Amino acid sequence: MSSGSGFGDEKGGSSSVGEPEYGHDPASGGIFSSDYKRHDDLKEMLDSNKDSLKLEAMKRIVAMIARGKNASDLFPAVVKNVACKNIEVKKLVYVYLVRYAEEQQDLALLSISTFQRGLKDPNQLIRASALRVLSSIRVTIIVPIMMLAIKEAASDMSPYVRKTAAHAIPKLYSLDPEQKDQLIEVIEKLLADKTTLVAGSVVMAFEEVCPERIDLIHKNYRKLCNLLIDVEEWGQVVIINMLTRYARTQFLNPNVNVKSDLIKSNPLGEKAFYGSDDEEGKEEKAEAAALAKRKPYVMDPDHRLLLRNTKPLLQSRNAAVVMAVAQLYFHLAPKAEVGVIAKALVRLMRSHSEVQYVVLQNVATMTIKRRGMFEPYLKSFYIRSTDPTQIKILKLEVLTNLANETNISTILREFQTYIKSMDKDFVAATIQAIGRCATNIGEVRDTCLNGLVQLLSNRDELVVAESVVVIKKLLQMQPEQHSDIIKHMAKLTDNIQVPMARASILWLIGEYCEHVPKIAPDVLRKMAKTFTNEEDIVKLQIINLAAKLYLTNSKQTKLLTQYVLNLAKYDQNYDIRDRARFIRQLIVPTDKSGALSKYAKKLFLALKPAPVLESPFKDRDHFQLGSLSHLLNAKAGGYQELPDWPETAPDPSVRNVEVPEWTKCSSREKRKEKKVEKPFYSDSEEESGPTESADSESDSASGSGSGSESEESGSGSESEESREESESEQEDKEDEEDKRKKKKKTDRGKVKAPAVESPERFFFIFSRFRFLILEVQRLASDSCSLRTSCRRWHKKTIAPSGSVKTYELLHRITGEGLGVEYCFSRQPFSPDAHMVAVQIMFTNNTNAETKNLHVEDPKLQSGMRIKEFPEIELLPPGEMVTVVMGIDFCDSTQAANFQLCTHIRKFFVSIQPPVGELMMPVFMTENEFKKEQGQLMGMNEISEKLTLGEKCQNEHGIVQRVTSAANVSRSSCSSSLKSNLQVCRKDGVQWDFSVGYCDGDWHNAGEGYSTGPNPVAP
Amino acid sequence: MIHSLFLVNSSGDIFLEKHWKSVVSRSVCDYFFEAQERASEPENVPPVIPTPHHYLISVLRHRIYFVAVIQSEVPPLFVIEFLHRVVDTFQDYFGLCTEAAIKDNVVVVYELLEEMLDNGFPLATESNILKELIKPPTILRTVVNTITGSTNVGEQLPTGQLSVVPWRRTGVKYTNNEAYFDVVEEIDAIIDKSGSTITAEIQGVIDACVKLTGMPDLTLSFMNPRLLDDVSFHPCVRFKRWEAERILSFIPPDGNFRLLSYHVSSQNLVAIPVYVKHNITFREGSSQGRFELTLGPKQTMGKAVESVLVSSQLPRGVLNANLNASQGTYTFDPVTKLLTWDVGKINPQKLPSLKGSMSLQAGASKPDENPTIIIQFKIQQMAISGLKVNRLDMYGEKYKPFKGIKYMTKAGKFQVRT
């Protein structure tokens, strides 16, 4: 303790780091008074080996940070605990690190290795959190490490880690913008990701790093549209806003042809008073010219897709999502369809006042362009006395915009109530609004004017002043009829003090002095008396009034004018001095006076156009609605302009994704067949051994999907069938031998092109075993193209690429010179759709000809059938010949045994199919898939065992082994399997994962699928 | 997106700050304080304030301003909605979202904020996920934690974030499986001087408290779903099913949540359950004003109108009110000029009334505005729109849950102009 106090004395005076931090902790507050002692104490606690003490210390430190107190001197003590076992301590250390690492860059480096270790952790959550903290530490020196980590995480198996990688991209970008090019590559790769988890985050990164690279979106456009509804709400907002911009660059204006019709058919003659009529008129003209050349507008199906897929989101509970969809419709939808957003926006008005504020701003802008949309909801904009003033004023704006001949009387009645409000700012705004209604709607002009004149006798000066200003504007429209009002207002100059109002009255009298010839000079006299005490705007108007009177009635006012001008000459304000000098030169004839003075009267008393009272929200829609810039009516940093529609549509084919065309199967037919087959299931039940059942197909498919290798995952193409078979050929063979046979289901999905039922999603199922699902997204309108593409699949199918694995049927030594190999060509076997095509390659290695090659005496399991290849008459020495035979394996992996005969010998051979070869692609909608899957009953499994070597411990290895064992390959489709699974999950179908380890000998169990490596020891 | 967050209390002190990117000096809040000074009422502070280098977006809840600092273009509603979500989360965790509650739980608050945003972009905002990550403080847990030194951070890593049903935590277990649904409707109305309705609409919500084991899949159907004109759903509700069959089908989050909010189509005439007779007059030249108010029920389908509370902002010229309530108690605050009358239950046989005189400032002219009367009430066991739940079914789990449904009608923004 003595050393502690000594330390305190020594440093106590050097600086003060603020008040003691123990306020919230009374137990210790009294004991330690000095900061240094206290920090010592915290350091001690952090150094102790008791987690509870560390935790307590960290809690206090975090409390300090929260209150904005400096805790940076504790950095070395805290950073030591970064590897602490206790999760909460660790988390709090992370909080501290992220806050102070920027200030203590060197020391922060100490922690990096911990995170690097975390990046390799088998648990995806730990990998993610390590990446998150690593990328949040703003230390420039680790940029290369971050870059590497992001790249690695972007091809991680776990979508959650990939999401974190997407989050890390903008962090790295803000730290070092020079990494942009590399980051764009990562973004491109992640944009191709098919999980909903990643979509929102990566689009966010896209928007921050490279919003101009709209070309990256093409290939992902349809996928984003389709995933949208399942993305989390914040991601939805970002994606919708981005897609709005995208659509503006890629599609044609849907309103281009309709516009003129709409205006013409408008019964109310909107054009007469409508704020934006000029613009529309212009557009109309330009468009009429263009119309002649233009083909009738047909909406791009992708444009329609976007509109259709965003519409349900109007029902979101999240106001930001609703607003995003609303702006999308406003900017992109045909006029006839924009109406749907009104209801949702009106609903938002029930929300918190801040939400109301933003929504009303946007509604105000929309009502100028599309008034009809909100007219049915007029009453929802009525003002309540409890609304905050800013909301009241916005509602008033909307009401004014909505006013037309039919509803003006109700609106004016409402306005009358508002004028009595206690909130004077609001009353003033109401008076302005009445003025605007009066200028816009001729019928009610007199009514409004009378009402406003009555307000002139209001007790509140602000009300009177505002009325004066508005009346002035109204009178300008028809001054002749209203000289009594002008007289009335002239009287007000005695009482009213608000400068703007006084200025308005003076201007009125000056402008219409001919209507009030007796009063005007008198007013000038009074004003001359008080000139020096007036506000600047009033002074300017006095000068104006004097000048106008001098020109019309110089006899009475000459002296007064000169007096006023003299006063103005010595005014403090240079504007007024300037004005006085200018006017004197202009109106008072002197020798030097120029040619202009002749025209003075014309200049001053020219007929002035009546002011147009415009909404402050006019033309705000050149900002994207819902954006910050729109709200402020000023461009905010980072705002991306909403581009104009292109004149001609860019090539829509850029959005086509290369999808291998699969055949699809009529689901209806399938269902029927299934019913017939039912008994078969029960029969075959005995066959199934008491094995650890494994749905190996489904597992391997999914595993391969998530475990996409880095070189493959970005490709996005779905044609990577049978890539990996070659990788583990040998093991595969061994595996096949100890494959345990299980019963399979004889479901023969007929390859047929059906009518498209549901427009949404189709699942390919590789049938015979129907577990492997792949997904392709199509539009309903595509049904024709689908049909044709099915045909093409027959022809092209999955052409056996070089990677198709060949098996040896007969070794050339046992075959006495005749070598036979076979492979599964994956072509449909045209004579019988149920058969698997087996391509057999004969090589004659002898010096003699081999003759009459044919199949004889097949020994087959019940139900299996074989279609022999046509006899080969002659195989010359050294030559090779290839034939195709068909085998119906009856959905089992049992071998087909038969004899291969030449003219001299017979060889017993057998062909055993790997599971993957028994499958064929089938189309299914999501629901059908679920139904089918539900009927599987766990009796349709094939299990196999494989032994993992020591080296094969990471997920990648395991996944590879499984895929090769099942002889299916990963295809990038299987990541969409995940989204499919999500749907299933949402719908309550349980897909629980379980992957188990068994002393290096592992099996996959259950109907399962694992998104990540969560190895659970059985 | 969101750069920093400052929490400002009603007296203008910043009592919490959190930065997600580089630190922004708290002096940026000076612009906010300026705007606050300019605004006459606390709720009149503009939600978006531009400053030279940043934009401040704030929400006011529970007399605390949540001021978010942003640096570049972002949809303002995005930030506002998020801030409200933060407040909702705090409320969920601490019961109350007051300055004291936040200060007491500053570490939990910090941990929550850390999880909710990553680099300013929302990460985990679902209460179910957050509760898995960070356990809400309860009295029992606080006691246990102090004794055992254990923590309130979840020991297990949350898998909810990875799941495809992110709103539901996994491994839920209850001994009593219950699902309660409250249908609460609010009437928003403006009644004019003569008692006729200017505008009236019904807004409703269905709040649920679901405590069911496992992964239940629920469907809820209505007798008269056509009544619902405009709906917004919790993300768990399957939209397609609603579109096609008008059935709510969902896997519920665990605990309390708002399943649905709706608006009843405006074609249906809204039954106004109370009427008000009023006579509030100020005579010219007199320093006295008369105040008479009588409440009565109408169209309540035999249900009692309860918890009635009348309030009115009297004109500034009123010095005091000397009134006589036939039932309940009234208070008049001479500073804010707010008159409140706690009526309680309306007895149709003996209508509650509040009568008396108001004294005005001597010599002042008569106020030209008449006060608006704001009424709050509750009617139990009735949904004023007539909405009825038909049935609730559960799939996916074997047990039989206990199901309950409750209806209630409340006054929303119910104003009578005088």
Side-chain angles (χ1 to χ4, degrees), chain A residues 516-752:
Chain A
V516 283
K518 289 190 182 139
I519 295 172
D522 198 45
V523 172
L524 182 61
R525 180 184 59 80
K526 282 188 198 160
M527 286 297 136
K529 230 164 51 180
T530 57
F531 185 88
T532 45
N533 298 325
E534 299 288 355
E535 287 279 332
D536 289 348
I537 47 167
V538 184
K539 283 177 178 168
L540 287 174
Q541 289 307 326
I542 296 174
I543 299 170
N544 271 352
L545 173 67
K548 285 171 183 171
L549 283 176
Y550 182 86
L551 291 171
T552 52
N553 185 4
S554 61
K555 222 184 276 168
Q556 275 186 302
T557 57
K558 189 174 177 184
L559 288 171
L560 267 175
T561 305
Q562 275 176 352
Y563 175 65
V564 168
L565 288 176
N566 281 334
L567 283 178
K569 192 174 171 183
Y570 300 105
D571 199 88
Q572 285 185 327
N573 186 307
Y574 55 78
D575 251 0
I576 293 166
R577 295 200 300 273
D578 276 1
R579 180 71 66 92
R581 196 173 304 134
F582 151 68
I583 282 182
R584 191 192 295 275
Q585 292 302 317
L586 200 57
I587 60 172
V588 183
T590 56
D591 317 333
K592 288 178 281 178
S593 69
L596 269 179
S597 61
K598 271 184 268 173
Y599 304 105
K601 194 165 180 179
K602 273 191 186 155
L603 284 174
F604 276 103
L605 293 168
L607 208 59
K608 295 170 185 72
V612 184
L613 298 183
E614 272 182 348
S615 163
F617 287 88
K618 189 177 180 288
D619 289 342
R620 265 217 209 170
D621 64 333
H622 64 266
F623 289 114
Q624 186 169 4
L625 283 165
S627 67
L628 183 63
S629 307
H630 170 266
L631 189 83
L632 300 168
N633 201 14
K635 206 170 152 182
Y639 173 73
Q640 295 289 318
E641 290 283 350
L642 197 60
D644 276 334
W645 294 102
E647 280 296 307
T648 50
D651 180 16
S653 65
V654 290
R655 284 181 294 278
N656 292 346
V657 183
E658 288 142 30
V659 185
E661 285 104 356
W662 311 99
T663 40
K664 51 183 179 160
C665 178
S666 156
S667 44
R668 278 213 194 104
E669 226 160 298
K670 243 182 141 148
R671 240 174 281 143
K672 257 183 252 151
E673 275 176 44
K674 282 216 64 167
K675 271 173 205 143
V676 180
E677 284 163 12
K678 272 250 153 99
F680 181 82
Y681 294 137
S682 40
D683 286 345
S684 55
E685 237 163 312
E686 302 119 61
E687 286 178 38
S688 60
T691 50
E692 320 90 331
S693 60
D695 185 311
S696 64
E697 290 77 13
S698 136
D699 244 4
S700 49
S702 39
S704 64
S706 45
S708 49
E709 281 176 350
S710 50
E711 78 267 21
E712 281 179 10
S713 60
S715 71
S717 87
E718 306 187 10
S719 56
E720 288 171 351
E721 284 292 299
S722 64
R723 233 339 120 64
E724 290 170 11
E725 282 154 26
S726 50
E727 283 178 25
S728 52
E729 226 163 301
Q730 271 148 2
E731 285 157 357
D732 213 15
K733 272 188 197 155
E734 290 159 23
D735 296 336
E736 266 162 69
E737 275 153 31
D738 33 3
K739 239 179 215 170
R740 256 188 282 174
K741 292 11 185 229
K742 293 212 63 183
K743 72 133 267 292
K744 292 110 214 162
K745 194 171 42 96
T746 54
D747 169 57
R748 282 128 208 226
K750 279 220 173 95
V751 182
K752 204 175 171 187

Side-chain angles (χ1 to χ4, degrees), chain B residues 73 117 122 139 151 158 167 171 186 320 340 368 406:
Chain B
E73 173 64 47
L117 281 181
I139 294 171
T151 68
W167 53 84
E186 294 193 356
N320 210 344
T340 50
D368 44 17
K406 203 168 83 182

Side-chain angles (χ1 to χ4, degrees), chain B residues 78-358:
Chain B
F78 187 98
V79 181
I80 289 171
E81 182 78 25
F82 176 79
L83 292 177
H84 281 298
R85 206 60 75 78
V86 169
V87 182
D88 293 341
T89 308
F90 288 172
Q91 221 167 351
D92 195 22
Y93 264 76
F94 316 127
L96 281 171
C97 181
T98 57
E99 186 184 345
I102 291 175
K103 278 183 170 167
D104 287 349
N105 297 293
V106 69
V107 176
V108 178
V109 165
Y110 232 66
E111 284 167 345
L112 281 173
L113 290 175
E114 184 73 22
E115 292 299 337
M116 290 180 86
L117 281 181
D118 181 17
N119 194 36
F121 191 75
L123 189 64
T125 51
E126 281 300 335
S127 124
N128 265 263
I129 294 186
L130 287 171
K131 284 193 175 157
E132 249 181 286
L133 287 164
I134 301 147
K135 302 234 169 60
T138 60
I139 294 171
L140 182 67
R141 187 164 303 127
T142 321
V143 173
V144 172
N145 283 358
T146 37
I147 295 168
T148 62
S150 62
T151 68
N152 56 351
V153 164
E155 283 298 332
Q156 283 158 343
L157 290 155
T159 45
Q161 269 168 308
L162 313 169
S163 117
V164 283
V165 205
W167 53 84
R168 187 171 178 88
R169 60 192 182 92
T170 46
V172 185
K173 272 213 173 76
Y174 289 103
T175 39
N176 296 323
N177 289 293
E178 318 162 299
Y180 296 105
F181 293 87
D182 292 358
V183 180
V184 182
E185 296 196 336
E186 294 193 356
I187 305 175
D188 287 356
I190 303 177
I191 312 285
D192 81 351
K193 218 172 186 153
S194 58
S196 56
T197 309
I198 293 178
T199 136
E201 46 192 31
I202 300 171
Q203 312 272 354
V205 294
I206 299 182
D207 283 332
C209 176
V210 177
K211 294 181 172 172
L212 296 176
T213 307
M215 264 299 167
D217 196 335
L218 303 179
T219 58
L220 185 81
S221 62
F222 298 101
M223 306 274 264
N224 39 9
R226 300 268 156 242
L227 272 177
L228 308 182
D229 179 38
D230 183 37
V231 282
S232 73
F233 300 117
H234 190 274
C236 69
V237 177
R238 295 179 184 105
F239 184 73
K240 287 260 155 61
R241 191 88 191 271
W242 170 257
E243 284 285 274
E245 305 167 58
R246 299 273 147 183
I247 285 175
L248 293 174
S249 155
F250 54 97
I251 295 174
D254 185 45
N256 295 312
F257 66 102
R258 173 155 297 174
L259 178 65
L260 164 83
S261 43
Y262 60 89
H263 177 262
V264 174
S265 64
S266 39
Q267 281 91 21
N268 299 38
L269 279 178
V270 178
I272 304 290
V274 290
Y275 69 88
V276 183
K277 277 190 195 155
H278 53 82
N279 181 13
I280 302 171
T281 49
F282 305 98
R283 255 166 299 138
E284 195 68 60
S286 150
S287 62
Q288 291 283 307
R290 258 168 61 134
F291 189 99
E292 281 180 34
L293 198 71
T294 309
L295 291 173
K298 66 173 183 183
Q299 294 173 303
T300 59
M301 297 179 237
K303 301 281 195 298
V305 182
E306 296 167 0
S307 320
V308 181
L309 186 75
V310 178
S311 58
S312 179
Q313 181 76 49
L314 296 184
R316 250 164 267 150
V318 177
L319 282 183
N320 210 344
N322 188 12
L323 305 173
N324 201 351
S326 72
Q327 175 185 345
T329 52
Y330 84 93
T331 52
F332 178 74
D333 184 340
V335 182
T336 58
K337 315 289 182 199
L338 186 71
L339 174 76
T340 50
W341 176 28
D342 190 354
V343 185
K345 193 169 165 181
I346 296 183
N347 180 358
Q349 270 72 49
K350 193 169 162 291
L351 296 179
S353 65
L354 183 67
K355 287 177 187 164
S357 63
M358 297 173 286

